[in-house]
Amino acid sequence: MAQPLPFRQTSGQLWMDGGFIDCDKATISILTHGLHYASSVFEGERAYGGKIFKSRQHTDRLINSCRLMGFALPYSAAEFERAKHELRERLGIEQAYVRPFAWRGSEQLGVSASANTIHAAISIWPMGTYFADKMKGIRLDIADWRRPPSACAPVKAKAAGLYMICTLSKDAAAAAGYNDALMLDYEGRIAECTGAHIFFVRDGELHTPSPEWILDGITRATVMEIAKARNLTVHERQILPDELNSFTECFIVGSAVEITPVNEIKGIAYTPGDISAQMIADYDTLVAGGTLS
Ligand SMILES: Cc1ncc(COP(=O)(O)O)c(C=O)c1O
């Protein structure tokens, strides 16, 4: 018997355009602007023990992504929050991935899009760890594609179009035997992974790329909170690939990957140590609703 796909809601209801609907009845036109011209934005969140971690921050970022793409989410943050929480309750999934998204509809199919209505949906499905055995650490390739500067794309939007180069990079990394790819920015500095931010450790201090051209990360902000609580210095700065072999630990962070240790970046080895272990333990505490002692 075929196994269910891990990253797809295959049964139950989802929320779409203001109401709850059976998954198999949630359809859109094949001539949807969001499909042809990538006028679509999304979020990726997780629920732990039935509670969505930093849910409101994700909703606020979705609303901002819509704005940056030139349209407005046709729901208030409070309405969208209610929809998310009610859907999770209806489905009863405790450990879940939550995927809200919004897109331009099918009234106008051309580069111009102003006549299109805006649609939104939320899908939720069960999800365990992103990488099969994440505590073993992962191996990163360095992508050929580079993250664009803010003059070339709305880089702060979690917009579908920006993921084209992530998918190409992730699939190329997988074909070369790696788990994921580290992406450089347009000037060759370390930027982020295909769906996560990156931190390095050297001499007991954290280093992470400065945030100008990367997504405003919700997990990245959580790692900063943990670092503050643990009196760890964080350097947000420009990091060049030349420095990769000067760090001892490395981990990637994101709502889906959580905090995942890195063993290798294209031939350079790292040994997950005390700081990675502390971060993982503290993150697990926070997502479970606890506070740091
Ligand atoms: C390109 C990219 N960078 C970083 C992240 C991590 O962001 P967050 O911690 O808000 O999930 C994501 C995931 O959304 C992403 O897609």
Side-chain angles (χ1 to χ4, degrees):
M1 205 172 99
Q3 292 297 308
L5 293 170
F7 290 102
R8 200 182 103 192
Q9 186 184 352
T10 50
S11 63
Q13 291 194 313
L14 49 75
W15 181 92
M16 185 171 167
D17 289 339
F20 296 95
I21 179 173
D22 287 342
C23 205
D24 55 354
K25 301 211 170 58
T27 55
I28 56 168
S29 163
I30 197 73
L31 299 182
T32 293
H33 198 278
L35 178 63
H36 291 251
Y37 295 95
S39 52
S40 140
V41 298
F42 66 101
E43 273 304 315
E45 325 178 16
R46 275 182 185 262
Y48 297 87
K51 187 161 187 321
I52 302 172
F53 185 60
K54 299 208 168 173
S55 177
R56 179 57 192 253
Q57 283 97 319
H58 283 281
T59 295
D60 289 344
R61 189 168 68 182
L62 184 78
I63 289 171
N64 194 43
S65 295
C66 293
R67 187 184 61 77
L68 291 168
M69 290 291 287
F71 59 85
L73 185 71
Y75 303 94
S76 69
E79 286 167 334
F80 209 74
E81 282 291 286
R82 261 199 306 283
K84 241 196 278 185
H85 296 300
E86 193 180 332
L87 178 64
R88 205 229 42 91
E89 263 167 43
R90 280 175 182 240
L91 295 170
I93 308 170
E94 297 287 299
Q95 305 297 112
Y97 185 77
V98 181
R99 166 52 56 88
F101 48 115
W103 67 97
R104 285 196 170 106
S106 53
E107 290 80 5
Q108 185 179 15
L109 192 64
V111 175
S112 176
S114 56
N116 278 310
T117 50
I118 306 304
H119 301 265
I122 305 166
S123 176
I124 295 182
W125 58 87
M127 187 158 145
T129 55
Y130 186 85
F131 294 106
D133 193 359
K134 84 166 187 175
M135 295 314 290
K136 271 177 54 189
I138 58 164
R139 298 178 61 235
L140 298 179
D141 197 1
I142 296 184
D144 290 336
W145 292 98
R146 292 192 174 187
R147 307 292 312 180
S150 56
C152 294
V155 293
K156 293 291 180 186
K158 197 164 163 60
L162 293 171
Y163 283 82
M164 180 178 66
I165 54 172
C166 297
T167 299
L168 288 168
S169 303
K170 176 130 184 160
D171 285 351
Y178 293 91
N179 300 97
D180 205 337
L182 173 61
M183 302 185 79
L184 307 181
D185 74 9
Y186 63 101
E187 284 190 332
R189 300 169 293 220
I190 307 294
E192 57 190 326
C193 290
T194 62
H197 291 109
I198 191 157
F199 282 80
F200 301 95
V201 179
R202 185 167 66 204
D203 299 330
E205 298 186 338
L206 292 163
H207 299 257
T208 196
S210 41
E212 286 88 350
W213 296 285
I214 55 179
L215 187 71
D216 284 327
I218 291 166
T219 318
R220 185 180 184 278
T222 307
V223 168
M224 300 291 199
E225 282 168 37
I226 297 173
K228 195 165 175 218
R230 298 293 175 209
N231 286 320
L232 290 168
T233 303
V234 185
H235 301 277
E236 288 181 271
R237 62 178 183 86
Q238 296 184 359
I239 302 174
L240 292 168
D242 287 359
E243 281 188 68
L244 285 178
N245 58 12
S246 70
F247 301 116
T248 48
E249 295 180 51
C250 174
F251 50 88
I252 63 169
V253 313
S255 302
V257 304
E258 301 169 300
I259 297 183
T260 297
V262 173
N263 277 337
E264 180 196 327
I265 301 179
K266 211 174 170 106
I268 299 173
Y270 302 94
T271 308
D274 292 349
I275 292 186
S276 305
Q278 180 79 63
M279 283 290 161
I280 291 167
D282 285 347
Y283 189 73
D284 287 349
T285 300
L286 292 178
V287 298
T291 48
L292 301 183
S293 53

